[in-house]
Amino acid sequence: MTKHFLLLSFFWLAIAIDCRAQGVDSSKFPKPVVFTTQQDHENMMKQLGITQLRPGPSGDANAPNHANYDQTKANPCPVLPDVLATRKGTKITTAEQWWKQRRPEIVEDFEKEVYGRIPANVPQVSWTVKVMEREFVARTPVIVKMLQGHVDNNAYPLINVDINMMLVVPANVKGPVPVLIMFSGRPSFPAPAQPSPDEMEKINSAFKEMMIRQDPSLKMIFDKYPAYTPVTRLPGPNFFAPAVNGDSPPTEQLLAAGWGYVTIETTSIQADNGEGITRGIIGLTNKGQPRKPEDWGALRAWAWGASRGLDYLETDSLVDAKKVGIEGVSRYGKAALVTMAFDQRFAVVLVGSSGKGGATLHRRVFGEAVESLTGGGYYWMCGNYLKYGAAQSTTGAKTGCDLPVDSHELIALCAPRLTFISYGIPEKGDANWLDHKGSYMATVAAGAVFKLLGVNDIGVTNDYMKEEMPPVNTGMLEGELAWRQHDGGHTDAPNFKFFIPWASKKLNYSK
Ligand code: GCU
C-alpha cells in the first residue's frame, strides 16, 4: 500500500513538474488513471462481464498445470476458419473477391476480437532529425540519422510520446536503398564519429585546467602522470575486421548487401506492460483513461509506430520507400506480423519466433495457450480477446476454438507481399512453448491466398492437417511466402543470410 502510494505520488509530482515546465494548466484535463497491471486487467474483465478466466498453463513441463506438449491432443478443433470463404460461406475464387469481400471481413475480425482498433482520433506525428553524421560500421561507410517522432499532445498535454528511431544507410552504394525496420530497445549510434587525436588533446587540456580550478590539489596528480588523459577515445571502427559473412550481426549483413536499417524503440511508443496502457500512445489517445474492449493493445500500437516510421522514410531521399520491410523476434515477431498484415505499404516481413499471438494458430493447444495471452500477455491484445479465455462470464465460456479468425488469416493478410516465417529449435532454446508446428500449419493454410493472388507460397499443398514440417535448416524460399527453421535458438539472426538474398531477389534489388 505505502509503496504504491509513494509511486503514485512520484508519478503525480513528475506530471505536475513537467506541466509547469511546459506552461500547461494540468487542472484543465482529466487526470490520467494510474492502475497496476492487475487493476487494469480486472477493469477489462468487468467491462466484459467476465467473472473468471481459465489460468494460463505453466511452461515448466514438471509443474502440475504444465502446458500440453502432446501432439495428439493439440488440435481440439482441427478445422480452421476457411480463409477463402466469406462468413456467409461464399467461396472466394478471384483476386477481386479477395480484396473486396474476404480481406475486409478478416481485417474486421482481427481488429474487433484480437488486436484492437486504432482510434480515429490518434494524433499526428512530426519527425525531426536530431543528429545526422557519417560513421563507419566495420568497413562500410554509413549515414546515420537519429530521429524523433513527436506525437501531437495538444489535446492532452499530461502525456508526452516521443518515438525514438535510428536510421542507418550505407554510403557506398547508389541509393535510394531498401530499408528494414527492426523493433528493438533504445536505439544507439552504431559507431559514433569522434574527435581526432589533435582535438582530443585540446579537450583534455581544457578539461584538466577546469578540474584544477575546481580542486588545485589535482595539479600534483596530473604533473605526476603527464601522459595521462582523463578523456579517452572509444575504440574506432575496425578496418581490419574480417569481411562480412553469414555469422556477422544482421545489421552488418544488411549494410554489406546494400540495405539500410532502422531500429525503433517499441517502449517509446507503448510500454510493454499492463500498467502502462493508460499512458504511451494508447493512453494519450484515450486521454489517460483505460481502454474499451475494442481498443488497440500494445502489439497494434507498436505496429502503428512502425507505420509512422515508414511515413518518415517516405520523405527521406536516401530510402526506397517501396522497399521497406519490418522485422522482430518473439513479442516483436508478433508485432512485425501485425504491422505487415495491416499496413500494405510494407513490402516485406521477417517474422522471428513469434508464437501465440503471432504466426501460431490460436486454436492449437500446444505450449503457450490462449489463456496465456488472456492472462500475463493480455495488454498485447485488445480487451475483447479476453472473452476467449473466459471460464465464466455473462456471455458464457469461450475458448480459442470460438475465435472467428486464426493466424493463417493474419499471414494471408500479408499476401501477395514477401512474408518470411522464421523459427529456431527447442534444443537450442527456441522452446516448444512457441509451437513451431502450429505456425507451420498456419503458413501452409495461408498459402492458398498467395496462390490466388498469383504468387507462390512455400511450395506444398494447403492441406494443413496433412503437410509435415520439413527437416530443420530446410529453406522453403522459392515463393513470396517463405519458411525456414534454423538450428539455433530464440533469434532470427541465423536466418538473415537466407532472408537478405531472398528479399533482394524478390524486390529486384542489387547494390
Ligand atoms: C513469453 C511469452 C511469449 C513471448 C515471449 C517473448 O514467452 O509467452 O508470447 O513471445 O515471452 O516475447 O519473449
Side-chain angles (χ1 to χ4, degrees):
M1 164 68 200
T2 26
K3 196 173 139 221
H4 186 61
F5 180 74
L6 264 179
L7 272 176
L8 253 169
S9 321
F10 277 130
F11 180 71
W12 272 112
L13 198 70
I15 286 194
I17 291 171
D18 198 42
C19 285
R20 228 174 35 213
Q22 293 175 31
V24 173
D25 178 359
S26 57
S27 66
K28 283 199 188 136
F29 300 93
K31 278 190 185 185
V33 169
V34 183
F35 273 160
T36 60
T37 292
Q38 196 193 339
Q39 286 169 331
D40 183 62
H41 193 215
E42 280 166 5
N43 172 281
M44 186 53 76
M45 286 173 66
K46 221 188 210 151
Q47 290 188 54
L48 293 161
I50 298 174
T51 42
Q52 204 192 328
L53 286 167
R54 288 182 302 278
S58 165
D60 175 359
N62 297 317
N65 63 331
H66 68 79
N68 175 50
Y69 288 117
D70 178 350
Q71 288 290 359
T72 66
K73 296 191 181 134
N75 301 303
C77 41
V79 181
L80 300 178
D82 189 345
V83 65
L84 287 180
T86 63
R87 283 188 204 137
K88 289 197 177 134
T90 312
K91 287 279 175 210
I92 299 297
T93 55
T94 68
E96 201 195 346
Q97 285 176 313
W98 166 258
W99 294 113
K100 293 222 168 111
Q101 295 175 39
R102 185 60 180 140
R103 195 177 188 281
E105 278 184 0
I106 295 174
V107 167
E108 165 65 17
D109 284 340
F110 273 116
E111 292 201 310
K112 183 157 181 246
E113 303 291 326
V114 185
Y115 300 111
R117 300 183 198 282
I118 300 177
N121 65 336
V122 58
Q124 297 289 312
V125 177
S126 42
W127 287 97
T128 322
V129 181
K130 290 273 174 188
V131 178
M132 168 162 137
E133 68 166 23
R134 287 175 177 272
E135 302 182 2
F136 274 89
V137 174
R139 292 183 220 168
T140 310
V142 292
I143 297 170
V144 183
K145 294 184 185 179
M146 183 182 146
L147 296 146
Q148 195 174 67
H150 177 68
V151 186
D152 179 359
N153 66 345
N154 281 326
Y156 193 70
L158 305 193
I159 293 174
N160 187 61
V161 179
D162 288 317
I163 305 173
N164 294 319
M165 184 162 109
M166 191 79 72
L167 168 67
V168 182
V169 295
N172 59 348
V173 296
K174 197 174 148 284
V177 296
V179 165
L180 186 66
I181 302 183
M182 305 166 92
F183 283 120
S184 73
R186 190 70 185 242
S188 53
F189 289 93
Q194 302 178 63
S196 68
D198 281 352
E199 290 164 334
M200 284 306 278
E201 210 174 292
K202 237 175 123 179
I203 292 173
N204 269 302
S205 69
F207 191 56
K208 280 185 188 169
E209 264 174 45
M210 223 170 71
M211 288 173 84
I212 291 166
R213 230 176 297 139
Q214 170 74 22
D215 178 355
S217 73
L218 290 177
K219 183 168 188 322
M220 215 176 68
I221 302 178
F222 289 141
D223 286 347
K224 196 165 152 201
Y225 305 101
Y228 170 72
T229 51
V231 185
T232 52
R233 295 189 95 212
L234 301 165
N238 180 6
F239 294 109
F240 301 101
V244 169
N245 60 53
D247 296 325
S248 305
T251 48
E252 290 183 18
Q253 292 186 51
L254 285 164
L255 293 171
W259 283 62
Y261 68 87
V262 160
T263 44
I264 186 165
E265 185 183 19
T266 50
T267 55
S268 69
I269 306 163
Q270 183 62 43
D272 189 9
N273 55 50
E275 67 188 49
I277 215 92
T278 54
R279 298 186 288 281
I281 189 59
I282 296 176
L284 171 58
T285 309
N286 282 343
K287 301 197 163 56
Q289 306 309 301
R291 293 185 299 169
K292 298 276 179 299
E294 287 188 19
D295 281 353
W296 44 346
L299 293 175
R300 192 82 203 268
W302 294 335
W304 169 88
S307 290
R308 302 294 68 80
L310 177 49
D311 295 346
Y312 166 79
L313 296 180
E314 284 179 335
T315 68
D316 193 316
S317 60
L318 298 174
V319 177
D320 183 348
K322 294 266 180 292
K323 296 179 181 163
V324 171
I326 180 76
E327 181 272 354
V329 175
S330 213
R331 66 199 63 190
Y332 301 159
K334 307 183 210 294
L337 183 52
V338 172
T339 306
M340 180 75 169
F342 284 102
D343 187 340
Q344 296 189 56
R345 295 174 302 161
F346 282 92
V348 50
V349 65
L350 175 56
V351 184
S353 298
S354 58
K356 208 57 130 215
T360 280
L361 294 170
H362 295 256
R363 282 170 168 66
R364 288 260 300 174
V365 176
F366 190 92
E368 184 165 29
V370 163
E371 290 77 11
S372 317
L373 293 185
T374 62
Y378 83 96
Y379 61 90
W380 290 334
M381 320 299 284
C382 69
N384 267 338
Y385 189 82
L386 260 62
K387 295 186 300 191
Y388 302 94
Q392 271 173 29
S393 90
T394 49
T395 51
K398 284 192 169 72
T399 72
C401 291
D402 297 307
L403 274 161
V405 275
D406 215 319
S407 62
H408 62 307
E409 292 168 304
L410 188 67
I411 300 172
L413 292 183
C414 305
R417 293 165 295 140
L418 303 174
T419 305
F420 190 127
I421 311 293
S422 163
Y423 276 97
I425 53 170
E427 296 77 2
K428 292 278 176 66
D430 205 35
N432 272 320
W433 182 246
L434 291 153
D435 187 13
H436 309 86
K437 171 127 203 247
S439 298
Y440 188 69
M441 289 167 72
T443 308
V444 167
V449 177
F450 285 77
K451 284 177 182 146
L452 178 73
L453 299 181
V455 298
N456 291 315
D457 63 1
I458 57 174
V460 297
T461 73
N462 303 115
D463 190 342
Y464 49 88
M465 287 304 286
K466 287 229 179 80
E467 288 296 344
E468 290 289 337
M469 264 173 84
V472 169
N473 289 338
T474 310
M476 304 175 92
L477 310 169
E478 295 303 313
E480 277 61 22
L481 178 61
W483 166 274
R484 192 172 187 278
Q485 186 180 21
H486 59 72
D487 60 6
H490 195 48
T491 163
D492 58 4
N495 268 343
F496 265 84
K497 58 173 173 277
F498 300 94
F499 169 78
I500 297 171
W502 169 80
S504 295
K505 187 174 157 211
K506 296 278 180 192
L507 292 172
N508 213 355
Y509 174 72
S510 60
K511 64 167 183 175

